[in-house]
Amino acid sequence: NVLLNLTIAFLIIFGGIGFPVVFELLSWARKPTRTRLSLHTRIVLQTTLILIVGGMIVIWLFERTGTMASMSTPQQAMTAFFQSVTCRTAGFNTVRFDLLNNATLMICIVLMFIGASPGSCGGGVKTTSAATLVIVLWNRLCSRNTNRLHRTSITASAVSKPVSVVIVSPRLIAHMLRSLHIARRLLRLALPVH
């Protein structure tokens, strides 16, 4: 059902961009003289768009001959769009995840890891942290000492926290997975098999 999928997807998107961004967009739309959106809002909207469209394209490319092979092209596009949106925050699915190939699952894990935006209903390391890391990497590759985006300099203190979060988070997840694995093994040893 296209209407149901689009309704849920757009509710997820609005819940994932964060309340500050929603309020700024509403006040921006009401003003007769429009001012520029804040750097935060622009980063959130651009990163969200890139993640949704990029995730949709990659999921479609990996699954068009697999899980979505029996669907028409518009259905494949809708399914890929919905999965790209929902992987980041909500966890709904319109395809069976046990039938997805490993490359698609990896893309879903990356989308889940990035998650939603600050001040939103979703988790993850946040879109602004991921965008900041990409901005830092791009500026370093271009041999720039300052981190600039949209003609605005991003201070070193604004860069250090997101970079730290993105670096520490995978280690924390790895330790949690290891602990779960150990707990599962201990539980198997403790419970008798019938």
Side-chain angles (χ1 to χ4, degrees):
N1 186 335
V2 175
L3 182 61
L4 180 65
N5 279 335
L6 287 176
T7 302
I8 292 172
F10 285 112
L11 287 172
I12 292 169
I13 292 168
F14 285 123
I17 61 174
F19 297 108
V21 173
V22 171
F23 289 135
E24 185 173 347
L25 289 173
L26 289 174
S27 66
W28 181 80
R30 289 183 192 145
K31 289 181 184 176
T33 57
R34 297 214 163 95
T35 59
R36 256 174 84 171
L37 294 172
S38 69
L39 181 63
H40 171 78
T41 298
R42 287 181 284 155
I43 289 174
V44 165
L45 294 176
Q46 289 171 346
T47 307
T48 299
L49 183 66
I50 289 167
L51 290 173
I52 291 172
V53 173
M56 176 185 167
I57 290 169
V58 172
I59 290 170
W60 178 75
L61 286 173
F62 289 149
E63 293 300 327
R64 65 191 166 137
T65 58
T67 307
M68 296 190 272
S70 63
M71 299 178 191
S72 66
T73 304
Q75 287 175 327
Q76 288 179 353
M78 175 57 69
T79 302
F81 169 74
F82 188 81
Q83 287 312 131
S84 178
V85 169
T86 191
C87 277
R88 289 187 33 241
T89 58
F92 297 127
N93 62 323
T94 53
V95 293
R96 288 183 47 191
F97 260 64
D98 61 327
L99 299 178
L100 297 177
N101 69 48
N102 289 338
T104 306
L105 292 174
M106 190 63 203
I107 294 301
C108 290
I109 289 169
V110 169
L111 291 172
M112 288 177 202
F113 179 74
I114 294 171
S117 300
S120 71
C121 301
V125 296
K126 305 301 178 199
T127 55
T128 51
S129 295
T132 302
L133 186 63
V134 170
I135 292 164
V136 169
L137 290 172
W138 178 255
N139 282 303
R140 294 304 175 265
L141 289 173
C142 294
S143 299
R144 295 185 197 132
N145 291 332
T146 59
N147 299 303
R148 297 187 60 79
L149 180 69
H150 300 296
R151 291 182 244 143
T152 305
S153 287
I154 302 172
T155 63
S157 61
V159 168
S160 64
K161 185 177 176 183
V163 169
S164 299
V165 167
V166 171
I167 289 171
V168 169
S169 295
R171 289 181 184 197
L172 181 64
I173 291 169
H175 287 298
M176 288 171 38
L177 289 174
R178 185 169 178 234
S179 299
L180 282 173
H181 179 68
I182 292 169
R184 192 177 285 163
R185 271 219 234 131
L186 291 173
L187 192 60
R188 254 189 260 140
L189 292 173
L191 294 177
V193 179
H194 297 279

